Amino acid sequence: MPRGRFPVKALAAAMAVAVKRGLVRMYERGPGSIATFSIVRPGRLAEVQIKRLERIGCTKESLDRDAAAEITGLKMYPSCPQISRELWGISEDYFIRFFRILENGFLELGSDGEPLPAGVMVRPDQVPGPVRYLRRRRREQAAKEKTRKVPPVEEAPHLPEGKSPKKTDLSKT
C-alpha cells in the first residue's frame, strides 16, 4: 500500500485528461482498491491506476520494477479489446505518461487513449498546457527573486486643471 499523502494535485491533473476521454467513475480509495477511476466511452472501458513516478523518462524495465504492485493489480481485470487496463505515470511537474497493460508487457498511449506509433515517446517539452505553464511560471518567479527592486520615481507636482505652470509654481515645490 502506498504511503504518504494522497496526491490531490496529481489526481486533478489526471481528471482533466480523463474527462476529455469519456464518463469518469471514481473508486473509493482504501485497502484492496485496484484502480483509481474508470473511464467509460462507447465500445471501451478503461480501468486507470495513477502512479507517481520519480523519473518520467523511465524505460519499460524500470517502470515494470517501480510500478510492479500497480501492474499486478491491474492485471486482475480481464484482458479484451473492450477493456483497457491503464497505468498513468505522473511526474512532479504533473506531466502524465499513459501505458496500457498487456499480458506480456505494456504499450504507451497518447492522451486520447490511442496507441502511439512505434518508437515514439512523448517528452514533457513537447506537451502544451499545464506542464509548460507551471515551468514558465516557476522561471518567472525565480527571475523576479533575482531582479533588483528599483525605488519609485518621484511624482511631478499636480496642478489644477486649466492652469499652466508658472515660474513661481515650480519654485514652490
Side-chain angles (χ1 to χ4, degrees), residues 1-167:
M1 171 167 247
R3 299 173 191 256
R5 297 181 326 191
F6 184 68
V8 177
K9 290 182 181 180
L11 182 62
M15 289 302 293
V17 175
V19 168
K20 292 177 184 176
R21 285 181 53 182
L23 179 66
V24 179
R25 186 176 122 207
M26 295 291 298
Y27 291 122
E28 186 175 338
R29 186 174 162 259
S33 62
I34 299 171
T36 308
F37 56 85
S38 64
I39 304 170
V40 181
R41 64 180 182 184
R44 171 127 337 164
L45 169 70
E47 296 293 340
V48 179
Q49 175 68 30
I50 295 176
K51 170 74 175 160
R52 211 61 190 288
L53 296 177
E54 291 179 21
R55 293 182 322 265
I56 197 66
C58 61
T59 62
K60 292 188 177 191
E61 293 79 22
S62 65
L63 180 67
D64 196 24
R65 183 183 59 246
D66 294 342
E70 288 81 5
I71 291 171
T72 304
L74 285 170
K75 283 188 176 182
M76 293 178 71
Y77 288 107
S79 177
C80 66
Q82 293 81 20
I83 298 176
S84 176
R85 306 174 295 190
E86 297 181 14
L87 177 69
W88 291 11
I90 300 180
S91 73
E92 63 183 28
D93 289 333
Y94 307 109
F95 172 74
I96 306 174
R97 282 182 71 187
F98 309 93
F99 299 97
R100 181 173 293 151
I101 307 300
L102 306 172
E103 288 300 321
N104 55 357
F106 35 91
L107 176 69
E108 188 162 3
L109 306 172
S111 62
D112 59 352
E114 297 301 317
L116 292 176
V120 174
M121 186 175 110
V122 178
R123 304 231 183 258
D125 58 346
Q126 298 171 339
V127 177
V131 174
R132 281 197 177 172
Y133 171 75
L134 288 172
R135 288 184 179 161
R136 181 172 22 108
R137 188 168 170 196
R138 285 181 188 164
R139 283 193 302 265
E140 289 171 358
Q141 287 176 350
K144 281 182 184 177
E145 292 173 3
K146 292 179 182 178
T147 57
R148 252 183 351 159
K149 295 193 177 183
V150 180
V153 179
E154 295 180 19
E155 293 185 19
H158 296 287
L159 298 173
E161 290 185 29
K163 293 188 177 182
S164 59
K166 299 178 185 173
K167 286 186 179 182

